[in-house]
Amino acid sequence: MKDVGSLPLLLKQLALPTMQVLWEELAAKAMDQGWHPAYFLKILCEHELAHRHSRRLARHMKESHLPSCKSIESFDFAAVPSLNKTQIMGLASGDVWIENGRNLLIFGPSGVGKTHLAAAIGEQLIQGGYRVLFTRTTELVQKLQAAKKEFTLAATLDKLDKYHCLILDDFGYVKRNGPETSLLFELISERYERRSIVLTCNQPFQQWDQIFEDKHMAIAAVDRLIHHGTILELSAESYRKREAESRLQKERGSTRKKSKSQEL
Ligand code: ADP
Ligand code: MG
């Protein structure tokens, strides 16, 4: 056999870590099974690509700051009859709306699953190869404000631009205050028709003048967000409340059983 002593180093220099780990084992298999050298090379490349893909996904999941355990599989569609599951699955696959920087606005009272749904869609988008950042809106606004003070606002907005989808959770919790909400408006304008925003909000549009400092800014923000956007209204009873009630019922049931058995 010709000298291949420098192969590990060559693979390292070429940044092919999976090949570096697997080549020896696969070379033995290739010899054993009489693989054509081109087939051996193909198998090595496939392993490298597959690992690269899963490393990228893991990186994108980590950077997204998505809340854990809020997947599409664990979302109970039957609990929200106002939602069309096929439409949600379509949104979760990304494609046209993400490619065109369109938005998704999720409205509804507290506890109906807005955050869960937004996060679940975000996770699916990442699986589909997109980059997503999940943040509470108030936190992001604070970051933008700090960046403005440090004269790094443009760079911060640039960094946000690498995300195909920005999930702004609890949009309505931002309190009306000149500099804060004008930064939010700047962000919306900056991404308009280029990069998507998914937002969750308790307040209907009519109350958005409580978020933006003046009515014109509120109207302009709504205009940009809903232009080509999708609006989902989650009208259901609070899932939290339902869960708490069924837990309570179960507890009552088990106390009743216990006291009956004590009576006996
Ligand atoms: P919201 O953001 O509307 O206030 P959340 O998404 O935080 O509500 O939901 C409250 C809790 O109930 C979370 O733990 C969430 O996972 C759960 N939940 C809400 N709706 C559903 C649903 N349809 N299926 C499964 N879990 C749900
Ligand atoms: Mg929420």
Side-chain angles (χ1 to χ4, degrees):
M1 187 163 131
K2 301 244 190 248
D3 179 25
V4 290
S6 60
L7 184 55
L9 188 64
L10 291 172
L11 292 172
K12 190 172 182 201
Q13 283 174 338
L14 287 166
L16 298 166
T18 309
M19 284 197 191
Q20 203 186 332
V21 172
L22 291 180
W23 75 269
E24 234 169 338
E25 180 194 328
L26 283 171
K29 201 170 171 185
M31 302 263 276
D32 186 44
Q33 303 196 359
W35 289 354
H36 188 282
Y39 184 70
F40 165 65
L41 187 59
K42 185 191 102 154
I43 298 288
L44 269 184
C45 291
E46 278 175 356
H47 278 290
E48 186 66 53
L49 268 183
H51 277 97
R52 210 172 265 191
H53 179 70
S54 62
R55 280 199 305 273
R56 192 183 318 120
L57 273 189
R59 215 173 41 241
H60 289 176
M61 276 305 287
K62 189 162 182 239
E63 73 176 7
S64 71
H65 295 289
L66 281 170
S68 55
C69 306
K70 304 294 174 202
S71 66
I72 205 104
E73 291 81 18
S74 63
F75 190 81
D76 176 8
F77 281 91
V80 201
S82 63
L83 279 186
N84 174 341
K85 187 173 177 184
T86 313
Q87 182 193 17
I88 302 302
M89 297 316 276
L91 288 166
S93 68
D95 296 333
V96 178
W97 75 282
I98 290 284
E99 305 292 346
N100 293 308
R102 295 177 185 174
N103 302 320
L104 171 64
L105 317 184
I106 306 174
F107 289 95
S110 183
V112 291
K114 300 181 299 296
T115 300
H116 188 139
L117 185 64
I121 291 174
E123 191 187 327
Q124 290 297 302
L125 290 175
I126 294 176
Q127 301 291 340
Y130 299 105
R131 293 177 75 178
V132 173
L133 179 69
F134 178 101
T135 172
R136 289 176 62 82
T137 315
T138 42
E139 255 169 53
L140 183 69
V141 167
Q142 276 165 15
K143 270 190 198 146
L144 292 177
Q145 222 171 3
K148 188 164 188 187
K149 271 191 199 139
E150 288 157 16
F151 304 102
T152 55
L153 183 60
T156 307
L157 287 173
D158 263 2
K159 271 193 200 147
L160 291 175
D161 220 53
K162 71 183 181 192
Y163 298 104
H164 299 93
C165 174
L166 190 57
I167 303 178
L168 301 177
D169 195 34
D170 285 329
F171 189 80
Y173 287 3
V174 176
K175 279 292 147 258
R176 185 156 74 168
N177 139 341
E180 266 196 25
T181 53
S182 59
L183 282 172
L184 195 53
F185 182 73
E186 201 167 322
L187 175 71
I188 293 167
S189 308
E190 167 88 12
R191 291 180 77 87
Y192 178 57
E193 290 189 321
R194 291 188 317 103
R195 291 291 200 206
S196 298
I197 290 177
V198 171
L199 66 81
T200 74
C201 192
N202 284 357
Q203 289 102 323
F205 288 131
Q206 294 85 331
Q207 290 170 21
W208 276 29
D209 49 1
Q210 290 169 9
I211 303 173
F212 291 96
E213 60 174 331
D214 73 61
K215 217 173 174 165
H216 299 293
M217 202 182 260
I219 293 171
V222 172
D223 232 35
R224 282 165 175 74
L225 285 168
I226 63 173
H227 189 203
H228 323 292
T230 302
I231 297 173
L232 299 175
E233 300 265 0
L234 269 59
S235 51
E237 197 192 341
S238 163
Y239 202 86
R240 270 192 213 111
K241 198 171 142 216
R242 264 213 260 177
E243 273 196 332
E245 278 170 1
S246 79
R247 214 173 30 244
L248 204 69
Q249 259 176 356
K250 268 188 206 149
E251 279 168 16
R252 278 195 193 130
S254 69
T255 351
R256 236 178 267 137
K257 265 188 207 155
K258 257 189 213 156
S259 51
K260 263 197 178 159
S261 64
Q262 275 168 359
E263 279 169 24
L264 293 171

